[in-house]
Amino acid sequence: MIQSRSFVRYFLWCPTIKAQELRFKGWELAEGREAAFTHAVSAAGVVYAISRSCREGELQSCGCSRARRPKDLNRDWIWGGCGDNIEYGYRFAKAFVDVREKEKNHPRHSRSLARMLMNLHNNEAGRIAVYNYAKVACKCHGVSGSCSLKTCWQQLPTFREVGDRLKDRYDGATETKFNNRGTKLKRKNRRFNKPNKEDLIYLDDSPDYCTANPETGSLGTVGRECNRSSQGMDGCTLMCCGRGYNTFKRKLVERCHCKFYWCCYVRCKTCERVLDVQTCK
């Protein structure tokens, strides 16, 4: 199966970035797809964490969701459970995350203004990836689980769903540039669709994540384990970026042939096996 170029780049980039670089340094330097994804998923994380904390009573400034009853909800069902306060989470994230962009980038400098506009757009895309996809969760009531009555409330999508949605946006991110007036960003190639609020945008092409680069925080793929028999993303062909791989033997010691004895303990034997391991050159 042939993967998109953006997916290959994402797979190489994501595990190789140092955590501290991603949190502090990478945001400032990167202006490619990876910066777009980083800002979006971070903003989404703030919405998610605050919304859930409101529901669980961990914050004094908010409580359960006050979202209106959905029009299509069965009229016999009760709308009143303690839902995730996505409305408050969205407002908090917008104020908390966006103010950093407006403070750190000087609007008189065209490059800083472009970066600020890019980051603000991607922050909003991340928040929308949570806000627009809230679900209705319900709990049954009734004798012996008959579910004759339901209580329903607003619930966050799983963060895995949010991440998958943003990953799709990463694949289809739009390269942008300033308009003639230098006041806003527009798509660089008019053959592609105009990005909407849910799409990610970026300014520059991504760097090469195959090799180590201290400026971007990339550790490269040298020394990473790969699977020589796989044609997928974990295969040595893609992972090693055409440099080839080394093979060595690794002895694995593990528990085996475990047996339960009444009562109450488990006794195991120790087994050894030798594995062929490949690492990128």
Side-chain angles (χ1 to χ4, degrees), residues 186-214:
K186 66 177 184 178
R187 54 189 164 165
K188 191 171 184 179
N189 192 330
R190 297 184 64 85
R191 291 182 302 171
F192 300 118
N193 294 331
K194 184 178 180 180
N196 59 37
K197 290 185 177 181
E198 294 193 40
D199 293 326
L200 301 185
I201 63 173
Y202 64 98
L203 293 173
D204 298 324
D205 289 334
S206 301
D208 179 12
Y209 292 106
C210 287
T211 55
N213 186 336

Side-chain angles (χ1 to χ4, degrees), residues 64-198:
C64 299
S65 172
R66 296 182 179 179
R68 293 183 179 181
R69 179 189 180 95
K71 294 181 180 180
D72 58 348
L73 189 69
N74 190 310
R75 59 183 299 177
D76 295 329
W77 296 350
I78 300 173
W79 180 252
C82 186
D84 294 310
N85 198 337
I86 303 176
E87 297 79 14
Y88 184 89
Y90 174 88
R91 294 195 303 271
F92 181 93
K94 187 174 181 64
F96 177 76
V97 177
D98 286 0
V99 69
R100 180 175 181 270
E101 295 302 325
K102 297 173 182 178
E103 289 178 349
K104 74 180 182 180
N105 291 310
H106 201 294
R108 294 183 181 179
H109 301 155
S110 60
R111 195 63 183 177
S112 294
L113 177 58
R115 179 184 295 159
M116 181 183 73
L117 294 175
M118 178 191 78
N119 291 343
L120 290 176
H121 176 98
N122 293 323
N123 288 346
E124 179 67 5
R127 291 189 292 265
I128 290 176
V130 180
Y131 185 86
N132 282 1
Y133 295 91
K135 301 178 179 180
V136 173
C138 298
K139 181 179 180 180
C140 289
H141 305 283
V143 180
S144 300
S146 63
C147 207
S148 57
L149 181 65
K150 286 186 178 182
T151 299
C152 303
W153 59 90
Q154 179 175 246
Q155 182 170 295
L156 290 162
T158 67
F159 204 74
R160 167 56 63 185
E161 292 174 313
V162 175
D164 289 343
R165 187 171 294 112
L166 292 177
K167 172 58 180 58
D168 290 338
R169 301 297 181 183
Y170 167 91
D171 287 338
T174 303
E175 186 175 6
T176 58
K177 64 177 182 178
F178 260 136
N179 61 2
N180 293 333
R181 294 183 179 182
T183 56
K184 64 179 182 179
L185 298 177
K186 66 177 184 178
R187 54 189 164 165
K188 191 171 184 179
N189 192 330
R190 297 184 64 85
R191 291 182 302 171
F192 300 118
N193 294 331
K194 184 178 180 180
N196 59 37
K197 290 185 177 181
E198 294 193 40

Side-chain angles (χ1 to χ4, degrees), residues 4-40:
S4 66
R5 291 179 61 188
S6 63
F7 188 88
V8 174
R9 181 169 54 246
Y10 173 87
F11 187 84
L12 295 176
W13 160 71
C14 194
T16 64
I17 300 295
K18 297 178 183 178
Q20 65 270 26
E21 299 290 341
L22 183 63
R23 291 174 55 194
F24 300 110
K25 187 177 178 182
W27 282 22
E28 306 294 336
L29 296 177
E31 295 178 354
R33 292 173 184 262
E34 292 71 37
F37 180 83
T38 300
H39 277 267

